[in-house]
Amino acid sequence: MFRRFHLSISGSPFHSSSSVLQAQGKSKDVYDTCVSVLTQLGETMPPESYSLSTSPIIINETFDAYDAVDGEVWFKREKTNDKTLEMTLQFYRAIGFASYFSKSPQIVVYFVCKAVQLSIKKGICEHTAIAILQFAGVVITDSNAIAC
């Protein structure tokens, strides 16, 4: 019963398979799949030189994007029906978790920021909330990433 409930929430067969693969310790497979799909969707991947010391740049870009659209107004927008946005945010969520275990915890900052920036640009959907929560977690818990 829980499995059926979980699948109906996620709305994506990939979400289920990525969870299983990660539980089996195959985070690199999830990461590689997400990189392939996100690249085909026109999303950019972090440069090889990406490190925690470069995190403040993308974090500040995310804050700037939020400020540019007047965050209060943006939060009150109607939900978009953009299915590509929904799926892309799901892939960003999956790659964030996978990168934590298969690459480095620092690279999660990049993917979380890209998810929030995409939602700011394209609209709010059911997966925007988790992206915002992940962004808040990155900013609050990573004292080296940004000084508030």
Side-chain angles (χ1 to χ4, degrees):
M1 179 169 177
F2 175 74
R3 185 173 177 353
R4 218 176 310 136
F5 177 71
H6 177 73
L7 289 174
S8 68
I9 289 175
S10 69
S12 164
F14 176 76
H15 183 268
S16 302
S17 62
S18 70
S19 297
V20 169
L21 287 171
Q22 290 194 56
Q24 293 174 341
K26 297 180 181 177
S27 294
K28 181 158 180 7
D29 292 342
V30 175
Y31 182 87
D32 291 343
T33 300
C34 289
V35 166
S36 176
V37 172
L38 287 168
T39 302
Q40 290 177 40
L41 289 170
E43 298 299 311
T44 58
M45 294 298 112
E48 290 295 322
S49 61
Y50 186 87
S51 68
L52 191 59
S53 64
T54 57
S55 292
I57 296 167
I58 195 161
I59 289 172
N60 285 326
E61 288 173 355
T62 306
F63 278 125
D64 290 346
Y66 178 77
D67 290 341
V69 297
D70 187 358
E72 293 299 318
V73 173
W74 177 73
F75 269 124
K76 294 176 183 175
R77 288 173 56 178
E78 290 292 319
K79 179 182 174 247
T80 182
N81 291 322
D82 185 343
K83 298 299 181 194
T84 302
L85 173 64
E86 291 178 12
M87 294 305 293
T88 305
L89 290 180
Q90 284 186 332
F91 277 100
Y92 269 126
R93 182 178 59 197
I95 200 170
F97 286 119
S99 65
Y100 182 85
F101 295 106
S102 68
K103 292 291 184 183
S104 71
Q106 294 85 2
I107 205 165
V108 174
V109 174
Y110 179 88
F111 293 119
V112 167
C113 289
K114 292 298 282 186
V116 171
Q117 290 174 12
L118 183 65
S119 197
I120 289 170
K121 181 179 176 182
K122 301 277 187 170
I124 293 174
C125 72
E126 64 187 79
H127 304 289
T128 300
I130 191 72
I132 297 290
L133 288 170
Q134 288 174 325
F135 180 71
V138 162
V139 172
I140 291 169
T141 61
D142 196 341
S143 61
N144 292 325
I146 190 167
C148 295

